[in-house]
Amino acid sequence: MIPKLHYISQGQTHKEHLENIQKACTSGAELVQLRLKNVSENKVLKLAQQAREITSHFQTRLIINDYYKVAKEIKADGVHLGKTDTCPLIARKELYTWQIIGGTANTLQDCQALINKEVDYIGLGPFKFTETKANLSPILGLEGYAAIIDALQTETPILGIGGVTLDDVTAILETGISGIAVSGEVTQDFDRIKKFNQLLNASSTKELKYTFNKK
């Protein structure tokens, strides 16, 4: 199964990204995503190697955003592909069979396309307005989540993304969403990871039982 809480790295500098990943691991994160934009692949590789050292020490899973070749080289646990990134079918041919692929979706049609491409999980959003997603896609909210989950009837895990806070978790789960991916809410206070895990019923002791499906 896919962990119910994903922490997406943030930072004004590359050093801050790594520091925040370490803080997330220290605070009990089961999975972190290294998300760097507009950076050369060589630089991403260097940072990903450092992130892998951190996550390996804490036995935390590491997902690389976008750069699937980097994910393969450092043997990360998988890759997350945005809507304008490489097609999951192409990445799948390149990655190890045990590496997972997640994809970003904004609509029911996006979800159906990703499921047809056999992704391992989908990040669906934005749940709320966020600066990083400003004006790019409509806000889904609880009603949007419920409608899409009801229409999909899929076993593929769907994670809520985009401005999710602690106060939102219970209501989001009631729509049928599997878990959440968070960035700012945790970066502001890494102690919130424990609170998220409690709300998601995804404590570290239970997460230890989870394993990625190997094909």
Side-chain angles (χ1 to χ4, degrees), residues 145-206:
Y145 278 174
I148 290 173
I149 294 296
D150 185 59
L152 282 177
Q153 296 294 311
T154 181
E155 293 185 3
T156 301
I158 311 291
L159 305 180
I161 60 174
V164 178
T165 67
L166 281 168
D167 293 337
D168 301 317
V169 175
T170 300
I172 287 176
L173 293 178
E174 289 174 354
T175 69
I177 289 283
S178 306
I180 58 171
V182 293
S183 191
E185 179 80 346
V186 164
T187 303
Q188 293 169 17
D189 182 0
F190 285 92
D191 286 340
R192 289 174 182 164
I193 287 177
K194 296 180 179 64
K195 297 175 183 176
F196 272 115
N197 281 337
Q198 289 170 355
L199 290 169
L200 291 162
N201 191 28
S203 67
S204 57
T205 53
K206 293 185 178 179

Side-chain angles (χ1 to χ4, degrees), residues 4-189:
K4 296 179 182 179
L5 179 66
H6 293 201
Y7 170 65
I8 302 172
S9 72
Q10 268 191 338
Q12 295 296 318
T13 64
H14 296 157
K15 181 181 178 182
E16 281 188 12
H17 273 270
L18 294 174
E19 288 173 347
N20 288 336
I21 284 174
Q22 175 143 356
K23 289 175 183 176
C25 292
T26 303
S27 300
E30 292 296 324
L31 184 150
V32 298
Q33 179 190 135
L34 176 64
R35 185 178 188 272
L36 299 166
K37 292 297 181 183
N38 303 315
V39 181
S40 71
E41 190 156 327
N42 284 339
K43 185 64 175 177
V44 173
L45 174 59
K46 181 179 177 181
L47 291 164
Q49 288 169 333
Q50 294 176 71
R52 175 80 284 186
E53 289 179 10
I54 295 168
T55 56
S56 294
H57 177 75
F58 289 94
Q59 296 185 324
T60 301
R61 294 162 187 168
L62 176 66
I63 300 293
I64 305 299
N65 184 285
D66 185 4
Y67 298 86
Y68 68 93
K69 292 180 181 178
V70 170
K72 181 176 183 179
E73 182 159 347
I74 69 161
K75 293 184 170 61
D77 294 281
V79 65
H80 183 91
L81 300 171
K83 294 179 68 175
T84 59
D85 297 336
T86 304
C87 172
L89 294 175
I90 294 174
R92 176 60 71 201
K93 292 178 181 178
E94 299 290 333
L95 294 172
Y96 294 108
T97 56
W98 49 266
Q99 288 178 303
I100 68 168
I101 296 177
T104 298
N106 304 127
T107 65
L108 172 61
Q109 291 73 22
D110 290 342
C111 290
Q112 290 169 330
L114 287 171
I115 289 169
N116 289 338
K117 292 174 182 176
E118 298 184 351
V119 296
D120 297 288
Y121 74 89
I122 294 170
L124 177 62
F127 174 65
K128 292 178 182 174
F129 175 85
T130 65
E131 291 295 335
T132 55
K133 305 292 183 183
N135 304 318
L136 294 180
S137 48
I139 304 303
L140 292 173
L142 294 172
E143 290 185 5
Y145 278 174
I148 290 173
I149 294 296
D150 185 59
L152 282 177
Q153 296 294 311
T154 181
E155 293 185 3
T156 301
I158 311 291
L159 305 180
I161 60 174
V164 178
T165 67
L166 281 168
D167 293 337
D168 301 317
V169 175
T170 300
I172 287 176
L173 293 178
E174 289 174 354
T175 69
I177 289 283
S178 306
I180 58 171
V182 293
S183 191
E185 179 80 346
V186 164
T187 303
Q188 293 169 17
D189 182 0

